[in-house]
Amino acid sequence: MFMENEKADDCKIEINKDEDIKRVIAQHPCYSKEAQHKFGRIHLAVAPKCNIQCNYCDRKFDCVNESRPGVTSEVLSPQAALEKTKQVLEAYPFIKVVGIAGPGDPLANDETFETLELIKKEFPDVTLCLSTNGLVLPERMDDLLRVGVTTLTVTMNAIDPEIEAQLIGHISYKGKIYRGLEAAEIMVKNQLEGIRMAVEAGLVVKINTVLVPGINDEHIVELAQKINELGVFIMNVMPLICQAKFADRTAPTPAECKAVQDKCAPYVQQMRHCRQCRSDAYGLIGQDMSQMSEERRNIIKVDMKKKSSCGKE
C-alpha cells in the first residue's frame, strides 16, 4: 500500500544476531523486505478471545475482499490447525513462517500454546511467530519461550497513557475490567516490560503501530525513540481502518503514513510493505492464498518453484 517512493531507511542501528536468527530474519516476509518476494507465512486462527477492546477493532465481518487484522473465515482447533499446516507446507514449501495473530489476542487463549507445541514437534525447523497486544506479555513470556517462538509482534500505539486512553475502550486484566486512564496505564506498563523481556530473551521483536490522525500521529516518533532504547528490530506504522468506534474518523493518506515512517526511520527500521493481513492468511504478503481459487494458487505454486530453481542455479 505504501511502497511508492520507497527509500532506504536512515536507521544506523547495528543489529547483532547469531546465524540462526539471521536466517530467521532473512526468511521472514514481515521482517525483511527482500524476503517478501521469496518466502511466505501462514496464520493460524486459533485464538478467538481478546482481553482488550480497541476503538478501531471489529472482528465481526468476513468476505473475500477483506484484508485486515481480526478477520477469519473460521476458528480452528489446535489439531485442525496442525492438519492445515501440514497441507499448506507440503503444497507450498516456500512458506517458512507459522504464525498466530488472532482473531483475538493469542496470549489470551491457551489454544495458542497447544497449537504451537504441536507445530514445533511436527516441524522443528519452521519459524514460529506470534502477534499480541502485549497486555499479558510479561506473565506469558515463559510460555512463549517454552514453545519456541522466535519472532514476536506487539501492537503498541502510544507510550503516553493519556494518548493510549483515547485508543482503547477497556481491558480485562486479572479478572477485572479497567477503563480510561487506569486501563491505559496498565496497558503501557505491561507492553514496555514485555518488550524488554522479549528482547532480553533473544526474540526478534516487531512493533505494529496504528496511525490515528488527530490522536497519536504526532506522538509516534516518541514511541519509535523508546522502542529503539529497548532494542526492537523493526517497526510497522499501519494506517487506521475506520470501523467500530472509529468508523467516522478519517484514515491517514499514504503520504501521511510515509511522513511518519520517515520521522521514525532514524530510530528504528521501518516495515514499508505491510498489507494488514487477515488472521487466516497464507502465502506471500499481498497474495493471500486463503482467498484464492485453486487455479490461482496453482499458478503461484508453479511461479515460486521456478524462482526457487533459478536461485539454485
Side-chain angles (χ1 to χ4, degrees):
M1 189 179 298
F2 306 115
M3 296 185 70
E4 306 89 70
N5 302 319
E6 183 174 312
K7 68 175 185 178
D9 287 326
D10 299 323
C11 181
K12 304 299 182 184
I13 302 164
E14 292 295 329
I15 305 292
N16 257 337
K17 300 291 179 185
D18 61 29
E19 290 305 313
D20 283 343
I21 293 300
K22 287 180 181 177
R23 176 188 58 79
V24 166
I25 292 170
Q27 293 184 349
H28 199 307
C30 298
Y31 287 68
S32 166
K33 63 182 180 182
E34 290 79 18
Q36 66 171 311
H37 305 297
K38 305 174 185 175
F39 302 106
R41 81 290 181 242
I42 176 173
H43 288 168
L44 300 173
V46 299
K49 293 179 291 186
C50 197
N51 47 16
I52 74 171
Q53 179 58 60
C54 297
N55 289 335
Y56 53 76
C57 183
D58 192 334
R59 297 183 295 274
K60 293 180 181 178
F61 306 108
D62 172 34
C63 77
V64 294
N65 295 317
E66 285 189 289
S67 179
R68 60 178 175 86
V71 174
T72 183
S73 295
E74 62 176 335
V75 174
L76 302 175
S77 69
Q79 190 62 46
L82 174 62
E83 294 306 315
K84 179 176 180 179
T85 302
K86 288 179 180 178
Q87 294 169 8
V88 169
L89 296 190
E90 180 179 354
Y92 312 107
F94 62 90
I95 292 178
K96 304 294 185 182
V97 178
V98 177
I100 298 178
D105 187 75
L107 298 187
N109 296 262
D110 289 335
E111 292 85 354
T112 293
F113 302 97
E114 183 180 346
T115 301
L116 292 175
E117 285 178 328
L118 291 171
I119 299 295
K120 196 62 176 179
K121 182 177 180 181
E122 188 78 21
F123 302 100
D125 295 329
V126 303
T127 294
L128 294 185
C129 187
L130 183 138
S131 297
T132 177
N133 59 46
L135 177 61
V136 295
L137 183 54
E139 57 206 73
R140 304 229 67 166
M141 185 59 62
D142 286 345
D143 291 323
L144 288 176
L145 298 177
R146 173 177 55 81
V147 298
V149 169
T150 54
T151 56
L152 176 72
T153 293
V154 181
T155 297
M156 188 172 194
N157 300 321
I159 56 172
D160 182 344
E162 295 277 358
I163 295 175
E164 178 71 7
Q166 300 176 59
L167 299 169
I168 57 175
H170 68 264
I171 67 171
S172 176
Y173 185 60
K174 295 187 175 180
K176 184 178 178 181
I177 301 295
Y178 296 87
R179 303 179 189 276
L181 187 59
E182 187 177 19
E185 288 174 342
I186 295 171
M187 191 78 188
V188 171
K189 177 179 179 292
N190 288 8
Q191 288 175 321
L192 290 174
E193 176 62 12
I195 293 166
R196 181 194 65 78
M197 293 172 65
V199 172
E200 288 187 358
L203 276 63
V204 187
V205 178
K206 174 166 70 74
I207 300 300
N208 279 355
T209 301
V210 179
L211 171 57
V212 184
I215 296 182
N216 69 347
D217 46 340
E218 298 296 328
H219 172 67
I220 291 177
V221 68
E222 296 178 38
L223 172 58
Q225 292 168 344
K226 182 61 178 180
I227 62 177
N228 168 29
E229 295 173 9
L230 294 174
V232 166
F233 178 73
I234 194 168
M235 182 185 198
N236 177 23
V237 178
M238 309 185 300
L240 169 70
I241 297 174
C242 300
Q243 57 185 10
K245 289 185 178 180
F246 283 179
D248 295 329
R249 298 192 73 92
T250 301
T253 65
E256 288 171 332
C257 284
K258 183 179 182 300
V260 173
Q261 291 169 334
D262 290 346
K263 289 180 182 178
C264 295
Y267 304 103
V268 60
Q269 179 184 180
Q270 296 294 299
M271 178 187 178
R272 299 178 186 260
H273 58 279
C274 177
R275 295 296 181 270
Q276 294 181 281
C277 308
R278 296 164 55 102
S279 56
D280 60 357
Y282 70 88
L284 300 172
I285 289 180
Q287 297 186 38
D288 182 2
M289 299 172 77
S290 73
Q291 302 301 302
M292 290 181 183
S293 66
E294 185 66 27
E295 180 182 8
R296 178 61 181 150
R297 286 197 291 265
N298 286 334
I299 290 172
I300 292 176
K301 182 177 180 180
V302 171
D303 186 46
M304 293 304 293
K305 279 186 177 180
K306 289 180 180 178
K307 289 182 180 180
S308 178
S309 298
C310 291
K312 294 176 181 178
E313 291 176 357

